[in-house]
Each structure stands twice: as structure tokens, then as C-alpha cells.
Amino acid sequence: MNGTKSYLSKTVEELKPSGIRRFFDLAAGMEGVISLGVGEPDFITPWSVREAAILSLEQGYTSYTANAGLMELREEIAGYMQKGFGVSYSPRSEIIVTVGASQALDIALRAILDPGDEVIVVEPSFVSYVPLVSLAGGVPVQVQTLKENGFKILPEQLEKVITDRTKAIILCSPNNPTGTMLNGSELEAIAQIAEKYDLLVLSDEIYAELAYDGEYTSFATISGMKKRTILISGFSKGFAMTGWRLGFVCAPETISQAMLKIHQYAMMCAPTMAQFAALEALKTGRSDVEDMKKSYKRRRNYFVQSLNELGLTCHVPGGAFYAFPSIESTGLSSEEFAEKLLLEEKVAVVPGNIFGESGEGHVRCSYATSMELLQEAIKRIGHFLKRNQKA
Amino acid sequence: MKLTEKQIEVLAILENNSARIPVEDIAKMAELSKAETETILDKLEEMKVLVRYNSVIDWSKVDGHEGVTAMIDVKVAPKRGVGFDEVAQRIYRFKEVRSVYLMSGAYDLSVIIEGRSMNEVARFVSEKLSTLDSVLSTTTHFILKKYKHDGTIFEQNEDDKRIVVSP
């Protein structure tokens, strides 16, 4: 290398590193930190699931599976989607087992985008949506939701940004980082727009198992939407299996088969032992999921009410395990707030601006932490606020 | 006994959290007011559904507290009219007895005894338990080590293995 020529692709060079990284570096090495900064369950994968993975290794299942995943697992996923969410997919042609929901999202975007195609990302959004659109050659178009609307997207907001190049909308409900969940009629309104402008919808339903208030509606069940929906889900959040990297994607056959082409060349298949674990999770893990969900809901109730009492106003999140309180009363930016809180009180939260501009003025707190630690975190945040209220 | 949904929710919260959890926090978790929660707790105690606020303690870790626990299988001759209840009552009144269960299978009562030493338990079995009129035979099993008790694993490394900040 002579130092003048860059060997990197322009897209990658222009990609911003995740803002979460900086906070990880800042918190690493500090002792006694209470972490509300994690996007994953505090439960360990249920023992029966771990045990199934061990058994599969003992029995010597260490080779590749079919590209789209173990047939038995796809059949089980089809049953799970039908029974749990009321949407039916063919295990043979419409379901692909992926390396986490992240890879599902990646192959979905790569399968549908041509250079310059626009994808609407509803903000605040999970950190990887925007970069993944760019990496697939698309142009991310961010739409900001408002806290006054409980961070729910309004149809007219979508309509404003639609152009001839718009190909798809990415939705996440329940949402990371806001916990906002869209109900049936709200999804219906988005469906009408998708229909009117002939758009696809990438529906990230990874938190579907963690919907606390009211019935969960899968976007694919809205009338006429199955053919427009790429449904992304996985085992990480509901089944407490983040480290297994196992997700899946359901889509109409033509899209599925296109995604499968990318998946088979880039990834071959998801890890076999993780697939056996997932199979067990679907077969016997339902009661564990229910127990975990009940526990999250109690902690949500405690944590959100306590934040509100401290003056960090916060809408009640309908699902996932995040609270997204406003920190405007402190006059600090979300980055300043998160950094000061970490250094002064050793409580780690994630600044809202990392999830898009509309997240500014907020921080993401994960309440997937033991009640004892949540109680202590509330105490520490209380001390912090006493010193840091706007005059 | 038919309980309300909220009463059951309060019980579940107590069962899954330390008995030291403040009433205010239970109230928030169950989406109730503090006064409502107190009323529910009083009522549950009065109905004897909420029997006791328990703590699970691993005494083996505490110096000078090395007690002995034994599980004793007891065969008894049930009495007309009162069945097993009378003899069970005579057994559970001893303060050494921690639990008494009526069992199906090879024996009738399972009795859990705690004593300060093996000797003390042995003496209780031979002098008090075996000599009861209806007791036909006893088999004593001493507990060597407790791994899990009442749903609590004793020697578990429960450190949070997650990294501090993640997407």
C-alpha cells in the first residue's frame, strides 16, 4: 500500500461505526456498573434447550443442514407461525432459517434492492437498519416519529417521503429502542399505503413474543399483506437465545427463493447445533417464554412508573424490554446524559440519538435486569437527577 | 379457594422475588396502588394462602451452623375414622420436624427432620418417632449436600455474562 489509494469500498468507508461501540469501550473496565444498556434478555437459555444442543453434539450432528435449515425445524416454525400468529407459510418454499434476524434482514434487503432504490426506515430504529440498506446498495430514507404520538408512525408521514424509487418500508413492532407496539388498526393504515404505492414491508417481529398489552398482530395477517410482507423473526429475544444466532425469515416464494440464493452462497446454512436447540425451544419452550414474559412485564411496570416518578417522563412501552424516557428535564443531550450517568453513578444506558435523530432527548434503558439491580439503578438515577436538573 | 387475578399476581411476584421486596415496588409491578396492595396482602394472609414470607438460607456456608437434615420414610398403621391424620399430627408437632407429607408408594409418611447433629436426629428417630403406637417402621436417609432447595440452586454462578452495552 502506498498510502494514497484506498482499498475500501466507498459504501463501507462512508458507513458510520455504531454509536453503541463508544459506550461499550467507556463502560468496559469499570467495576460495579449496573447495565441497562443491553439489548438482550437477562435469562439464560432454558436448560432443556441447552441440553438438546448438547445431545445433538453427542449424537454427532455436526454436518451442514439443508441451505434453508433442517426440514423438521422449518416445519416446526410453520406450525409456530400458524398457531401463534395466525399466518401460514410453506416450510418447503417460504421459510429460511438464518444466522440471527440480522442476517435475515441482510438477505431480504439484498434480494429486493437495486442500486438507488429507497427504503423507508421508521425512526428511532434499531442501529443496523440504515447501514444494511446502504450496504445492499439502497438509499435509506428516515422518517421520524414523535414522542407525542408514542413514537407511532402516522400514515401521512410515510406518504410524504414516498417517491418513484421507494421499494420498501422497514417496521419493527414492538420496537427497539422505544418499546412501542402498533395495534391492528395502526398496521392496517400502513398496509393501505403499501397497497397504494405497491411497496414491500419488512416486518421485524423479533419482539413479538414480548407483547404485554393487548393482542399482538403480525403484519402478514393484515388482509392482502402476506404477498407484500417479508417477516423477520428469531429466537434471540423471546427464547433468550441471543448467542445462538438463530433467526428465520418468511416471505412469498419468489422472494424467499431469491433470498435463499444469497444465503446459500454467503452463509451455506445456519449452525446445526443451534438449529437443534431451536427445534427443542419450539417444541417445549413455550412455558419458559410465558414465565419470562410475565417477569418482564412486572419489571416494566415497576421501572417505567419509577422513572416517571423521578421526572424522566416515559410512555408505557407495549412490548420488548426497553423504556425510552425523555431526559429533557436535565437540559443534557442524550450522549452527555448517558456519559455522565455512567461516570458518576455507574449506570449504563444507551443515548437515544444512536437510534436516529428523533431519539435525541431520550435514552434507552433495558429493564431485562434483576429486580434488585433495577431498584438500585432507580436509586442511583434519582441521586444523579438531584444534581443534574435544569435550573 | 378462588382468588382474584390481582391476588394471584401479588403471590407470583412474592414467589419470584425476595421476601424483602417493599410493598411500594410490588404495587408498581402489579399496577396497583400501595393501599390496594396492602389490602390484598392482608386478605391473603388472613385466608392463609400467603402462609409465610420465607427465606432460603444455605446454612452450610455459615460457621457454627452445621445442622443435619434427614428424610425419614415412615410406615404407619392407619386408624379407623382418622386415617393417617392423627399420627401425622402427632409427628408434626415435634419442633425437630420440618415437613410431613403423606405419600403414595412404598411407605406412608415422609418426614423431614432437622437436628444439630447426627446423634440428635438418631435419638429423635429411635426415642420419639419409632415408639409411636401406629409407627410400624422407619428408614432414615441423611442429606449429605443440598444442591437445589425449593427451586433455588445453591452453588450457582449467577454473574451476568452479558457485555455491558449491546445493540
Side-chain angles (χ1 to χ4, degrees):
Chain A
M1 275 191 228
N2 58 20
T4 52
K5 179 174 167 189
S6 168
Y7 290 88
L8 302 176
S9 92
K10 280 209 179 58
T11 319
V12 172
E13 268 197 318
E14 281 164 16
L15 218 55
K16 274 186 279 175
S18 165
I20 287 182
R21 190 75 232 162
R22 191 170 81 83
F23 278 82
F24 173 70
D25 292 341
L26 203 59
M30 277 176 76
E31 275 187 28
V33 174
I34 297 179
S35 177
L36 308 178
V38 280
E40 60 181 319
D42 62 327
F43 294 100
I44 301 173
T45 309
W47 173 245
S48 61
V49 175
R50 285 185 275 159
E51 205 269 342
I54 295 169
L55 183 69
S56 81
L57 290 178
E58 280 178 350
Q59 290 177 334
Y61 289 108
T62 56
S63 48
Y64 296 128
T65 66
N67 293 130
L70 285 170
M71 194 57 197
E72 205 185 342
L73 174 59
R74 279 182 279 155
E75 278 166 1
E76 205 66 45
I77 290 170
Y80 167 74
M81 292 311 292
Q82 173 67 58
K83 234 173 117 188
F85 304 95
V87 51
S88 62
Y89 284 103
S90 153
R92 201 158 287 282
S93 58
E94 296 180 319
I95 297 174
I96 304 170
V97 177
T98 58
V99 180
S102 304
Q103 194 226 343
L105 194 66
D106 183 34
I107 59 173
L109 288 165
R110 287 206 267 163
I112 62 169
L113 294 183
D114 285 317
D117 282 350
E118 292 174 1
V119 176
I120 299 174
V121 177
V122 178
E123 243 197 44
S125 69
F126 177 52
V127 290
S128 72
Y129 295 162
V130 167
L132 282 179
V133 171
S134 305
L135 285 170
V139 179
V141 177
Q142 284 154 281
V143 184
Q144 306 189 346
T145 56
L146 302 172
K147 75 167 177 211
E148 293 74 33
N149 301 329
F151 295 103
K152 290 182 175 185
I153 185 74
L154 305 176
E156 53 269 30
Q157 287 184 288
L158 283 177
E159 237 171 334
K160 249 189 228 156
V161 295
I162 290 173
T163 70
D164 292 346
R165 304 236 54 168
T166 308
K167 195 113 185 221
I169 307 169
I170 304 181
L171 285 183
C172 179
S173 165
N175 179 275
N176 174 6
T178 61
T180 296
M181 189 167 88
L182 301 173
N183 63 31
S185 60
E186 287 154 352
L187 293 175
E188 193 96 38
I190 296 170
Q192 280 172 15
I193 293 193
E195 192 70 56
K196 186 171 163 193
Y197 295 94
D198 193 14
L199 303 177
L200 289 171
V201 172
L202 274 68
S203 183
D204 181 349
E205 305 190 4
I206 187 80
Y207 292 99
E209 286 285 0
L210 306 177
Y212 309 116
D213 306 319
E215 191 91 337
Y216 179 77
T217 307
S218 172
F219 192 78
T221 60
I222 308 277
S223 162
M225 280 305 111
K226 200 187 144 193
K227 62 176 191 293
R228 298 190 174 278
T229 306
I230 303 178
L231 192 160
I232 289 156
S233 190
F235 297 85
S236 292
K237 315 294 182 176
F239 292 88
M241 291 176 67
T242 52
W244 299 82
R245 306 315 302 126
L246 210 71
F248 60 88
V249 52
C250 307
E253 187 167 347
T254 45
I255 300 177
S256 286
Q257 294 313 304
M259 285 192 285
L260 188 58
K261 278 198 268 183
I262 307 169
H263 178 72
Q264 74 186 1
Y265 293 129
M267 202 57 74
M268 206 79 87
C269 67
T272 304
M273 67 171 171
Q275 294 192 49
F276 277 103
L279 188 58
E280 178 67 21
L282 288 180
K283 281 182 170 164
T284 65
R286 305 293 308 147
S287 67
D288 290 302
V289 174
E290 272 311 306
D291 289 347
M292 291 190 272
K293 182 173 144 180
K294 276 185 196 152
S295 169
Y296 290 134
K297 181 177 177 180
R298 288 174 193 132
R299 290 184 260 168
R300 174 201 70 169
N301 294 339
Y302 166 76
F303 192 65
V304 172
Q305 197 180 329
S306 299
L307 285 178
N308 276 313
E309 284 170 7
L310 288 177
L312 295 186
T313 51
C314 183
H315 71 284
V316 178
F321 34 58
Y322 307 110
F324 203 60
S326 163
I327 48 128
E328 275 156 17
S329 65
T330 62
L332 299 168
S333 74
S334 62
E335 295 241 4
E336 287 165 347
F337 181 95
E339 190 169 336
K340 269 176 88 101
L341 182 64
L342 179 62
L343 297 176
E344 292 176 17
E345 293 289 341
K346 294 189 174 181
V347 176
V349 298
V350 181
N353 67 334
I354 281 171
F355 307 97
E357 260 174 64
S358 54
E360 184 48 54
H362 295 78
V363 291
R364 188 191 75 176
C365 311
S366 158
Y367 51 81
T369 293
S370 74
M371 256 314 274
E372 286 78 13
L373 288 178
L374 286 179
Q375 288 166 320
E376 176 62 25
I378 286 291
K379 230 185 265 169
R380 294 189 190 179
I381 293 172
H383 293 156
F384 178 79
L385 290 174
K386 269 198 193 127
R387 293 194 308 272
N388 288 288
Q389 286 296 358
K390 221 172 8 187
Chain B
M1 200 173 300
K2 184 109 179 99
L3 298 186
T4 66
E5 221 170 275
K6 282 295 175 194
Q7 284 173 327
I8 293 169
E9 177 68 5
V10 169
L11 287 174
I13 288 170
L14 282 172
E15 197 176 31
N16 289 310
N17 291 280
S18 146
R20 292 178 55 202
I21 188 166
V23 177
E24 291 88 341
D25 292 355
I26 297 175
K28 285 181 191 170
M29 290 168 86
E31 296 178 281
L32 294 164
S33 70
K34 192 182 169 203
E36 283 171 324
T37 311
E38 273 164 350
T39 313
I40 287 178
L41 286 171
D42 289 347
K43 182 77 188 161
L44 288 168
E45 285 171 30
E46 187 193 312
M47 292 191 295
K48 297 232 188 262
V49 174
L50 184 50
V51 186
R52 198 166 67 156
Y53 296 85
N54 232 344
S55 307
V56 176
I57 295 159
D58 186 357
W59 285 114
S60 70
K61 289 206 183 85
V62 183
D63 288 347
H65 274 90
E66 280 168 29
V68 176
T69 310
M71 302 178 81
I72 303 166
D73 311 341
V74 186
K75 280 187 189 167
V76 299
K79 279 193 182 155
R80 189 185 290 256
V82 290
F84 294 98
D85 296 352
E86 192 191 65
V87 62
Q89 231 175 61
R90 293 196 63 180
I91 292 172
Y92 68 57
R93 285 184 176 138
F94 288 106
K95 72 167 176 42
E96 295 88 340
V97 174
R98 302 294 294 178
S99 331
V100 179
Y101 309 110
L102 180 63
M103 309 294 288
S104 68
Y107 55 93
D108 305 303
L109 296 174
S110 176
V111 178
I112 296 175
I113 309 277
E114 266 177 26
R116 274 191 292 269
S117 65
M118 212 121 117
N119 251 338
E120 194 179 289
V121 173
R123 209 174 322 120
F124 177 81
V125 175
S126 60
E127 291 175 9
K128 300 281 199 274
L129 197 59
S130 310
T131 55
L132 286 174
D133 260 357
S134 341
V135 170
L136 303 174
S137 74
T138 61
T139 310
T140 304
H141 313 275
F142 284 103
I143 290 177
L144 302 181
K145 182 174 178 180
K146 285 185 186 170
Y147 293 99
K148 186 175 184 180
H149 178 77
D150 268 359
T152 304
I153 296 172
F154 277 7
E155 284 297 344
Q156 187 162 254
N157 174 10
E158 285 192 328
D159 291 349
D160 200 336
K161 295 182 182 67
R162 301 174 297 173
I163 55 179
V164 180
V165 179
S166 77

